[in-house]
Amino acid sequence: MALKTEPFVLNLGPVHPSTHGVFRMRATLDGEVVVDIEPIFGYLHRGVEKLAEQRTYTGIIPLTDRLDYISAMNNNFAYCLAVEKLAGIKVPERAEYIRVIMAELQRIAAFLIAVGAFLNDCGAYFTPFLYMFREREKIVDLFEMVSGQRLTYNYMRVGGVSQDLPEEFLPALRKFVDEMPRFIDEYDRLLMQNEILLARAKGVGILTKEQAINASASGPVLRASGVKWDIRKADPYSIYDRFEFDIPTGTVGDCYDRYRVRVEEMRQSLRIIKQAMAQIPSGPVRAEVPHLIRPPVGEAYARIESPKGELGFYLVSDNSIAPYRCHIRPPSLINLTALREMVRGWKVADLIIIFGSIDITVGEIDR
């Protein structure tokens, strides 16, 4: 006689360590096997897009810090690009180089958290996470030098950056860039063939190339599926067309490939920073921009390759000091749309690994 089972619903979150924020998953299970899943968000909604309609263009910058709060510099960057495109503002050369350096440092810092947290989800204990926080602290120290802050930096401005680099910044950055490849090699020695990581991540949560494209995934999630797409090369913004770097991709599209792509992208970010340091000119770090910016009537969309994928800002101007409309394209939200395809047929323990491999920040989902 065949054994009949009845599916049941398991709620994970909204407050649960494995959900990486105030996020909830309603998983329909057959035993321990995931039959279906419904992501539920909205517990952290702060109305950032609506608040932006009541603030000046410059006053919106601190709001962007709180989106993907692990990548505040990148959020600043994307928003400022949109305002500059809308208002026709030219950014000084030195400011362009400073922005790129900050964005790539932020990318490394974000990947250190993503990889460390993912390994913790895999059951590789807390040690790898602490190893990676060791290097992230060095990057945060650099950010503190230029902005005085350690998490939400509010450093970039429309037309450039808030202030020039202090005298001690470039020597400290040079030391970090010289040392960091050795630490990435150390991560590889510890983790690349780690039996816990291989058992938990290899072949798990596969997202095919076709599925990734159809879901409009971007960033490491897309590239791990074998799609060689990076906005810094496909649609270069700022001065990224001046730098040489490669686009790491995966072959299978599983959790392991998503981990590997992020590690390899750290190396490419170091390449970009080295080139930027060698080329950075002297000069002003901010264009002459009025305190109250009034862009002409129109609309603009600017996008960047953030650590999680395509981050875009769409602005509509009615020639007032605040945008008529501000809409954000958050990569975490779009990448999450592929979660159902990735987890069906896997067990509850695998669900945690797969979800962690996407690397979301709820702050930019609940805008």
Side-chain angles (χ1 to χ4, degrees), residues 206-215 222 225-228 252-253:
I206 294 173
L207 184 68
T208 66
K209 183 184 294 188
E210 293 73 22
Q211 288 174 328
I213 293 170
N214 290 340
L222 177 66
S225 295
V227 182
K228 204 169 188 177
V252 180

Side-chain angles (χ1 to χ4, degrees), residues 150-163:
R150 297 180 66 83
L151 182 66
T152 50
Y153 309 106
N154 189 21
Y155 177 58
M156 297 192 191
R157 294 289 185 275
V158 177
V161 295
S162 64
Q163 57 191 0

Side-chain angles (χ1 to χ4, degrees), residues 105-325:
L105 281 173
Q106 186 75 89
R107 192 182 311 278
I108 297 170
F111 285 154
L112 288 170
I113 286 185
V115 173
F118 172 68
L119 292 161
N120 195 39
D121 287 340
C122 286
Y125 306 109
F126 208 58
T127 304
F129 193 63
L130 294 177
Y131 269 54
M132 292 178 191
F133 245 77
R134 177 186 61 190
E135 273 63 69
R136 181 183 175 275
E137 280 299 295
K138 297 170 186 175
I139 296 174
V140 171
D141 287 343
L142 291 169
F143 287 157
E144 189 177 17
M145 280 187 200
V146 299
S147 70
Q149 301 295 326
R150 297 180 66 83
L151 182 66
T152 50
Y153 309 106
N154 189 21
Y155 177 58
M156 297 192 191
R157 294 289 185 275
V158 177
V161 295
S162 64
Q163 57 191 0
D164 203 350
L165 302 174
E167 188 177 334
E168 66 272 18
F169 181 84
L170 286 176
L173 176 61
R174 189 168 290 109
K175 181 183 178 185
F176 171 79
V177 169
D178 290 342
E179 291 178 348
M180 188 61 189
R182 177 169 61 85
F183 291 115
I184 298 176
D185 291 341
E186 183 180 53
Y187 304 154
D188 280 346
R189 288 196 305 274
L190 290 169
L191 302 168
M192 202 168 176
Q193 298 301 321
N194 181 286
E195 59 182 272
I196 297 175
L197 179 61
L198 293 175
R200 298 303 308 274
K202 272 278 190 182
V204 176
I206 294 173
L207 184 68
T208 66
K209 183 184 294 188
E210 293 73 22
Q211 288 174 328
I213 293 170
N214 290 340
S216 296
S218 58
V221 173
L222 177 66
R223 291 189 285 274
S225 295
V227 182
K228 204 169 188 177
W229 175 266
D230 188 312
I231 296 171
R232 292 172 295 176
K233 279 195 180 286
D235 185 17
Y237 53 93
S238 186
I239 53 170
Y240 274 103
D241 54 354
R242 304 181 189 180
F243 305 118
E244 292 183 6
F245 62 98
D246 299 320
I247 305 175
T249 57
T251 54
V252 180
D254 57 7
C255 293
Y256 186 81
D257 276 353
R258 288 186 277 278
Y259 143 73
R260 285 306 309 162
V261 163
R262 291 186 177 100
V263 173
E264 291 305 317
E265 287 201 21
M266 291 187 216
R267 299 185 192 276
Q268 300 307 316
S269 290
L270 290 171
R271 282 181 66 187
I272 294 171
I273 294 170
K274 281 184 178 180
Q275 294 171 68
M277 290 171 64
Q279 298 173 23
I280 188 168
S282 57
V285 296
R286 190 174 176 191
E288 292 294 329
V289 177
H291 181 66
L292 298 177
I293 304 165
R294 293 178 181 269
V297 174
E299 59 185 6
Y301 177 73
R303 60 180 182 171
I304 69 163
E305 185 67 41
S306 84
K308 291 173 175 60
E310 179 180 338
L311 171 63
F313 281 83
Y314 171 70
L315 298 174
V316 179
S317 170
D318 58 0
N319 196 223
S320 68
I321 61 173
Y324 173 78
R325 180 76 174 94

